[in-house]
């Protein structure tokens, strides 16, 4: 059985994403009047519907929305996992 971890630590999140070749992104066309779009991680090859953003912008949106990062380090069979999702902080 694999286990998920939840964190709000920016360094842990950035390290997890970069270790898997991911880039902080937003979904194009989802920006509101606050300028922030829907957060995603692009693991490549680059998706046309995603726009890469800076880590600073990524974490600003992450904090504004009071999100937490639920992620899995390994799959049930021990391979590196890319499973994650953004969840609301409790």
């Amino acid at each position: 059985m694999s286990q998920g971890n939840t964190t709000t630590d920016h360094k842990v999140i950035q390290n997890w994403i970069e270790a898997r070749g991911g880039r902080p992104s937003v979904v194009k066309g989802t920006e509101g009047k606050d300028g922030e779009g829907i957060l995603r991680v692009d693991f490549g090859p680059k998706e046309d519907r995603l726009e890469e953003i800076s880590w600073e912008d990524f974490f600003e949106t992450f904090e504004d929305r009071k999100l937490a990062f639920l992620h899995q380090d390994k799959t049930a069979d021990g391979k590196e996992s890319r499973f994650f999702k953004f969840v609301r902080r409790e």
Side-chain angles (χ1 to χ4, degrees), residues 75-89:
T75 61
D77 61 358
K79 294 180 182 168
E80 184 176 75
S81 176
R82 284 188 178 173
F83 173 80
F84 80 93
K85 68 179 179 175
F86 297 109
V87 296
R88 295 213 181 271
R89 294 180 193 173

Side-chain angles (χ1 to χ4, degrees), residues 6 18 20 30 48 53 57-59 61 63 68 74 80:
T6 304
E18 288 179 342
R20 288 155 178 78
T30 61
D48 289 338
I53 60 173
D57 289 344
F58 181 88
F59 286 120
T61 301
E63 291 301 326
K74 301 278 183 191
E80 184 176 75

Side-chain angles (χ1 to χ4, degrees), residues 7-39:
T7 187
T8 58
D9 184 305
H10 293 188
K11 202 59 168 162
V12 170
I13 296 165
Q14 185 173 346
N15 288 342
W16 188 94
I17 291 170
E18 288 179 342
R20 288 155 178 78
R23 296 176 304 281
S25 304
V26 292
V27 178
K28 288 181 185 175
T30 61
E31 303 83 9
K33 44 188 166 179
D34 61 5
E36 300 171 338
I38 297 172
L39 286 183

Side-chain angles (χ1 to χ4, degrees), residues 29-78:
T30 61
E31 303 83 9
K33 44 188 166 179
D34 61 5
E36 300 171 338
I38 297 172
L39 286 183
R40 292 288 185 263
V41 174
D42 192 354
F43 288 107
K46 186 164 179 2
E47 291 188 42
D48 289 338
R49 64 185 184 92
L50 298 181
E51 178 180 342
E52 189 171 346
I53 60 173
S54 69
W55 282 112
E56 183 179 329
D57 289 344
F58 181 88
F59 286 120
E60 183 178 322
T61 301
F62 182 83
E63 291 301 326
D64 285 352
R65 296 194 178 147
K66 296 179 176 45
L67 298 174
F69 186 74
L70 172 65
H71 63 285
Q72 179 185 46
D73 292 325
K74 301 278 183 191
T75 61
D77 61 358

